[in-house]
Amino acid sequence: MNAQPHLFKRGDIYQWRRKTRRFSTKNVDIKLSLGTTDRNQAHILARKVSAESDLIMEQIVRNRIPPEHGRAFLTAVIRKERAKIEQLRMLARIDSLDPADDARHDNAMAEAWDRIATSGVKHVPAADIDDLVHDNIELIRKDLVSAPRQKAIKGAFKDQTGDDNLSAMEYAQVLDIYVSGKAKAWAGAEERTPAVQSIQQETTAPCLELPSSKIIDVVNRMNVIKRAEGIEEKTLRQYQSFAALFTMLSGIGDITKVRQPDVKAFRADLSMMPKSWGKSPKDQTATRDEVMAKAATLPADKIGLSVGTINRHLEHLNQIADWARDEGLPVDQNLKPAKLRKKETVRARDKRASFSVDQLKAVFRNPVWTGSKSEYHQTKPGQDIFKNGIYWCPLIGAYTGARREEIAGLAPSDIIEVEGIWCFSIEDSELRRIKNLSSRRMIPIHSHLIELGFPDHVRKTENNNQNSLFPNLYEAGNNAFGRKVGRRMRQIIDMELGVYGAKLSFHSLRHYVQNHLDHEGVDDKLVRDIIGHEGKDIHDKVYRKSAQITQLHEAIERLPKLLRNR
């Protein structure tokens, strides 16, 4: 595998990928599915495509042809030439009475194409070359300069790229690609020894069928790889949810059937559907007519997904289409969902509201923290306090700024002592995955959480041999932590703040911590280490080390107490 730097596997299928940088500094990334699970075949194909791509990449780097044209034409040339050669070999096995003579003709044709690819269409063969090679060169030259061949090449280019306006220079470049593809494809006939060729003729399986083009199937295959790459489960579920949503609204379940107008209609539907779609189990089986009928009964402020959510759905479709193309599926080349992204009308910092200190103190006066009727009726007034996940998670959020899933997925082993300071260790675990590399961090535990008895809760779960600090938050239906506390937090905010809390959520705790530390004058780098944000520049991202635990602890302690001890 090391001999083929552009060769890799995605699942069981071998892929070819090559990157370079254009003069405009933009990256060029061409990916092709080789359509085989056979390692030897993949090596042969990768060598051909790598050699063929030299000219393609040069033209792209110099901005002479766009990357999508180069990729499409490269794919078409190699695919067609493979098919032609396989047909010729099949006919030879059926009709030939003299395999040695057939091999001589194949070799002569391969040499003829190689000479033309090396010296150009106007190549004049030397007088001492083999007569058969000479005749093939003359035959190829006449064909390449003929009007039918020129028309065929231009037609093939238009079919693959949609561009039929070729200048003389561009046609010469395309012709070079065509000739080079022919030469490399024919050269494959000489890469096997007769013994190996004989064995492969007997054992090679028929061409593999392309994988399923159903959108949900593409998503499931994609998620297998993304899961292995460490992408969090929440994101993978979003892809699956998107697949169901797109199929329901558009009526199209096959990625190869999707066209750009379908995406425009899908985007329009997203702007007309209920904002709450997906939060009820009934939504999973709803039809488009039922969704729109429900939207018709709602007030205007309850209709239409946010710009950010719509753009996320379009980006999901864009990734799924690209993935399917990489698998060799015939996805429409004009399908470009990302081009339909809506322009944001609100600044990023204004999208999410942040709690004030007074608002949080009001929230923590809810019966969950002052006394409940029962654990089941935890938001109703009573005498008992139940220190479970609903009790602890919002408090931890208010004293750390950690994400909901990062908190709800904590295990007893995630509570560790560093330099004499107890900390939350936010890492990938069996219970949850972190969002990105910058999310991996240590957050000192605020002294008020210790006063409220959090260490006792940790010891209790350890003594019970529980692998989760908050097992009551786990929902088997979606195999996730966090959603339950998110819903309960919504209920508590509505109870305590009414209409003034409409834009607040569990995530607003994260903004509260960041804003409060900023206002307290805490160094921006310390705040990023606590929150789990990337550095602002390459120096911060690559060279700056994380702050010392003592510095982080001093910063955390600047967050005010929000709840009376009881």
Side-chain angles (χ1 to χ4, degrees), residues 226-235 403 405-406 409-411 413-414 424-442 467:
K226 286 185 175 292
R227 184 175 289 108
E229 293 173 347
I231 304 300
E232 61 178 357
E233 290 298 322
K234 176 183 176 182
T235 302
R403 298 175 179 89
E405 287 75 14
E406 292 173 342
L410 284 168
S413 58
D414 291 325
F424 296 104
S425 175
I426 308 297
E427 294 271 356
D428 275 331
S429 72
E430 295 178 358
L431 302 181
R432 51 98 173 92
R433 293 185 180 274
I434 59 175
K435 186 173 183 179
N436 48 47
L437 290 176
S438 60
S439 300
R440 185 177 294 120
R441 63 201 189 278
M442 292 283 182
N467 67 343

Side-chain angles (χ1 to χ4, degrees), residues 470-495:
F470 313 115
N472 64 309
L473 298 184
Y474 180 73
E475 292 181 316
N478 54 48
N479 192 31
F481 290 84
R483 291 190 178 184
K484 185 180 289 186
V485 71
R487 292 193 298 270
R488 186 54 63 92
M489 189 67 175
R490 175 75 269 150
Q491 177 190 3
I492 294 169
I493 292 171
D494 290 343
M495 289 174 62

